[in-house]
Amino acid sequence: VAKVIFPNVDSDEARNLALEWETTFAAIHDGVAVVDGEGKIRRSNSSLALLLGRPLDALTGEVCHKLWGSSNVDRIPFYPVLESRRRQTVEFEYQSKHIQLSVDPIVTNSGVVSGAVYIVRDITETRQLEEQFRESQKFETIGTLAAGVAHDYNNLLTSIMGNASLALNDLPEQHPIRERLDDVVRASQRAADLTKQLLAYSGKGRHYLQKLEVTALVRDTEKLIRAGAPKLVDLRFELGSALPPIEADLHQVQQSLINLVTNAVEAIGEASGTVLIRTGKQDGREVFIEVVDDGCGMDSAVRERIFDPFFTTKFTGRGLGLSAVAGIMRGHRGRIEVNSASGQGSTFRLFFPCVVPAPAREPAEVLRETATILVVDDEDMVRRIARAALEPRGHKILMASNGREAIRQVQKNRQIDLVLLDLIMPVMGGEEAIDEILAANPNLRVIVSTGYDERETSLRFAQKRVAGFLQKPYTARQLTEAIRAALAGE
Ligand SMILES: Nc1ncnc2c1ncn2[C@@H]1O[C@H](COP(=O)(O)OP(=O)(O)OP(=O)(O)O)[C@@H](O)[C@H]1O
Ligand SMILES: [Mg+2]
């Protein structure tokens, strides 16, 4: 039975109206307080009590603007509102919540300000989401920036690396300058690695992919895992042998494993328990890493939300562990399986696609050692390096500085055997031009050269007849090898 707010009403209709109003007041999700001319609470709803962490009954008679901590008293515009007779809204922190509070004057029929209404809202989550959104926008911007820089940078590095390696070729074995030039090549290789990392961080180059075997990875991570697990937890390993390799970022997969084990250990808590780490393969197409614990387990309501950022049931948790794992698995085109019930422990399984062996390319009809090669790049430096590296090997070199020129040349010159095609160029880029280039001559081979992540690029061109990829920056040796392999149909 709702409390009667208007004790003096006597008709049924009026009583029902009062009840309606009372129910509405109580149902509002925002905290609401009606205060008198001195700011003392006459009425408040349970949402306000919840926000303040105090029983509802205890609030009546309290001065509302003094309830939000001494540091906020002066922020709350109670008197200014009485004076101006206008609503005012403020925001402040209270008990690590982000609070939005507005005060509205109550003006009686006779035009006197008799008090005010407070509406108080916890906007912590909204602010967090805004923050997340800003973060992701920032990443987007950094990504675009990094990708742009990396493109120019890789062209410069191609010139540095290419020239140094060409000069090395011309020097006699014992020449004292060799050492200097070796250093130049090494340093530019490191600079190239740095560009890659920048791209990985920005999310544009994805990550550092390498061939990995998950059992070896788990073994290498064992020390880290043991360090994080308390003595009472029995850590066991059941690791499959001779598993097919996966293509993955070592650190990210390690991080995922550690996050899962940490959760498992935390689910066991103070008690003793077992955490089992398994690896194996499934259907010959996937490899898995599994973490099993006999801890507290999860009910379905928790299980549904575990991958949400900031979802946690722990006092000190941030709720980011599993969101990170989910992000990493997305980046690896993998998937996650979760099995758990309250009190029954949990099983988390990470599945990774195995590396598919590259399909055998059709053998070359003519095995040519020397060829006519069209080098398509907007950077003169890069074109010159290609000429300097390839001409001494007997190749005939033609140049084009964008996709449109390239199309024109292959259409009128049937002698061209191979096109080395850059992706980003003014007027027309490589991706736009490739179909017409390939259509001009069915025997033509195309090598795509790119400053971006090679795997990304090869995925983008998966449907096209591309003879090879060459990651910028490259040495003269890498270039000639790519050309040789493409001509040999490897
Ligand atoms: N092995 C597990 N057993 C029981 N519950 C789990 C297990 N793993 C995760 N959970 C549940 O999923 C929630 C989210 O996990 P997640 O790792 O994302 O965050 P967290 O562990 O709470 O905090 P953080 O990892 O950021 O320190 C946990 O709070 C817990 O309720
Ligand atoms: Mg965690």
Side-chain angles (χ1 to χ4, degrees), residues 265-283:
V265 166
E266 285 167 354
I268 291 169
E270 305 289 294
S272 61
T274 308
V275 175
L276 171 64
I277 298 166
R278 295 178 58 221
T279 57
K281 64 180 167 194
Q282 171 154 314
D283 301 341

Side-chain angles (χ1 to χ4, degrees), residues 259 263 266 314 321-322:
N259 288 358
N263 282 347
E266 285 167 354
K314 295 168 196 169
L322 288 178

Side-chain angles (χ1 to χ4, degrees), residues 205-431:
R206 291 301 171 267
H207 24 239
Y208 248 149
L209 293 171
Q210 59 188 100
K211 264 196 193 149
L212 292 177
E213 203 273 297
V214 291
T215 291
L217 179 140
V218 173
R219 289 223 174 88
D220 290 344
T221 319
E222 190 178 333
K223 232 192 217 148
L224 272 174
I225 295 174
R226 289 212 182 271
K231 289 260 165 351
L232 279 177
V233 172
D234 181 14
L235 261 184
R236 291 192 197 157
F237 294 85
E238 276 175 23
L239 304 180
S241 54
L243 299 178
I246 60 169
E247 201 157 75
D249 181 298
L250 174 68
H251 291 293
Q252 292 188 351
V253 179
Q254 277 187 328
Q255 191 57 52
S256 303
L257 176 59
I258 289 168
N259 288 358
L260 292 186
V261 175
T262 309
N263 282 347
V265 166
E266 285 167 354
I268 291 169
E270 305 289 294
S272 61
T274 308
V275 175
L276 171 64
I277 298 166
R278 295 178 58 221
T279 57
K281 64 180 167 194
Q282 171 154 314
D283 301 341
R285 279 183 300 123
E286 284 176 311
V287 162
F288 67 82
I289 303 178
E290 182 180 77
V291 177
V292 190
D293 70 69
D294 54 3
C296 62
M298 294 171 266
D299 59 26
S300 58
V302 169
R303 215 169 47 229
E304 252 164 51
R305 301 196 54 198
I306 52 175
F307 295 110
D308 296 351
F310 303 113
F311 173 78
T312 181
T313 56
K314 295 168 196 169
F315 186 60
T316 53
R318 289 174 306 145
L320 290 176
L322 288 178
S323 353
V325 176
I328 289 170
M329 291 311 287
R330 258 200 313 278
H332 285 82
R333 295 183 177 75
R335 58 193 180 90
I336 311 175
E337 254 177 37
V338 184
N339 265 307
S340 181
S342 205
Q344 310 273 310
S346 310
T347 299
F348 282 81
R349 249 184 192 209
L350 308 182
F351 289 94
F352 298 87
C354 301
V355 179
V356 218
R361 295 218 179 90
E362 44 195 276
E365 319 81 74
V366 264
L367 216 166
R368 301 194 50 172
E369 306 239 292
T370 61
T372 303
I373 300 171
L374 176 65
V375 179
V376 192
D377 202 299
D378 57 320
E379 277 292 338
D380 185 41
M381 289 183 305
V382 175
R383 294 195 302 261
R384 284 208 316 260
I385 280 294
R387 180 191 292 273
L390 297 170
E391 262 177 1
R393 307 202 157 233
H395 298 303
K396 183 173 177 211
I397 304 300
L398 303 170
M399 313 260 207
S401 61
N402 62 56
R404 180 150 312 142
E405 272 180 36
I407 294 171
R408 218 175 292 137
Q409 293 211 34
V410 291
Q411 280 173 347
K412 68 169 200 247
N413 184 350
R414 306 280 295 176
Q415 302 304 314
I416 296 174
D417 302 294
L418 189 143
V419 177
L420 177 64
L421 184 64
D422 187 33
L423 284 188
I424 299 177
M425 293 173 288
V427 185
M428 186 189 272
E431 196 167 359

Side-chain angles (χ1 to χ4, degrees), residues 148-173:
V149 171
H151 171 239
D152 289 350
Y153 202 64
N154 278 333
N155 277 337
L156 295 171
L157 284 172
T158 304
S159 168
I160 296 171
M161 235 186 204
N163 277 308
S165 57
L166 279 174
L168 270 170
N169 288 349
D170 292 343
L171 283 178
E173 209 49 57

Side-chain angles (χ1 to χ4, degrees), residues 75 107 115 300 363 482:
R75 286 222 175 83
V107 184
S300 58

